[in-house]
Amino acid sequence: MSATATAPAPAAERNERRTLQGVVTRDKTDKTRRVEVSRRVQHPKYGKFIKQRTVCYAHDETNESHLGDLVEIRESRPLSKLKRWVLVRVVTKAPSRQLAALEGAVPGATPDAAKSAVTAKAK
């Protein structure tokens, strides 16, 4: 065993944490978002590139992100049983959910009329 001790890393270097970008896939819980981070890896035997995903639960203090948003998350200390990430920023917002309700509606119609038309088609 050597008697020399290694010097501790500087604070700035020690606090650098991983940041990832992913898509919010669930926003039903308060201050928690489920974020899927996709990546492409090469198969070890066949060499084909395949898609893999990692599911991270991130803390969103202000509930600013919603379903479909592209977000940036940063590693943090454990916040709960599953949460180990914190939302840094929303990179791009998802298209409005209202547009999905208006799909197939008559141009110039009010959103309420479009919703009733969509429900009438479903019946």
Side-chain angles (χ1 to χ4, degrees), residues 15-23 35-39 54 56 58 70-76 84-89 91:
N15 289 331
E16 286 184 20
R17 300 199 170 123
R18 290 192 307 162
T19 59
L20 300 174
Q21 282 191 356
V23 178
V35 179
E36 283 191 8
V37 179
S38 297
R39 64 187 191 283
T54 302
C56 304
L70 181 68
V71 295
E72 184 176 335
I73 56 176
R74 185 189 72 228
E75 237 179 350
S76 72
R84 270 91 173 121
W85 297 84
V86 174
L87 181 84
V88 176
R89 66 187 176 103
V91 178

Side-chain angles (χ1 to χ4, degrees), residues 10-80:
E13 189 177 306
R14 184 175 60 236
N15 289 331
E16 286 184 20
R17 300 199 170 123
R18 290 192 307 162
T19 59
L20 300 174
Q21 282 191 356
V23 178
V24 176
T25 55
R26 188 170 297 150
D27 66 346
K28 293 185 182 289
T29 53
D30 187 35
K31 298 184 182 181
T32 302
R33 299 294 179 255
R34 179 182 160 185
V35 179
E36 283 191 8
V37 179
S38 297
R39 64 187 191 283
R40 288 177 34 149
V41 295
Q42 193 171 14
H43 191 278
K45 184 174 182 180
Y46 301 112
K48 180 179 178 179
F49 284 95
I50 53 177
K51 284 195 255 184
Q52 290 186 344
R53 66 188 174 106
T54 302
V55 174
C56 304
Y57 287 86
H59 181 70
D60 183 7
E61 183 66 32
T62 58
N63 288 326
E64 64 180 304
S65 63
H66 296 287
L67 192 67
D69 291 349
L70 181 68
V71 295
E72 184 176 335
I73 56 176
R74 185 189 72 228
E75 237 179 350
S76 72
R77 64 180 176 82
L79 299 170
S80 69

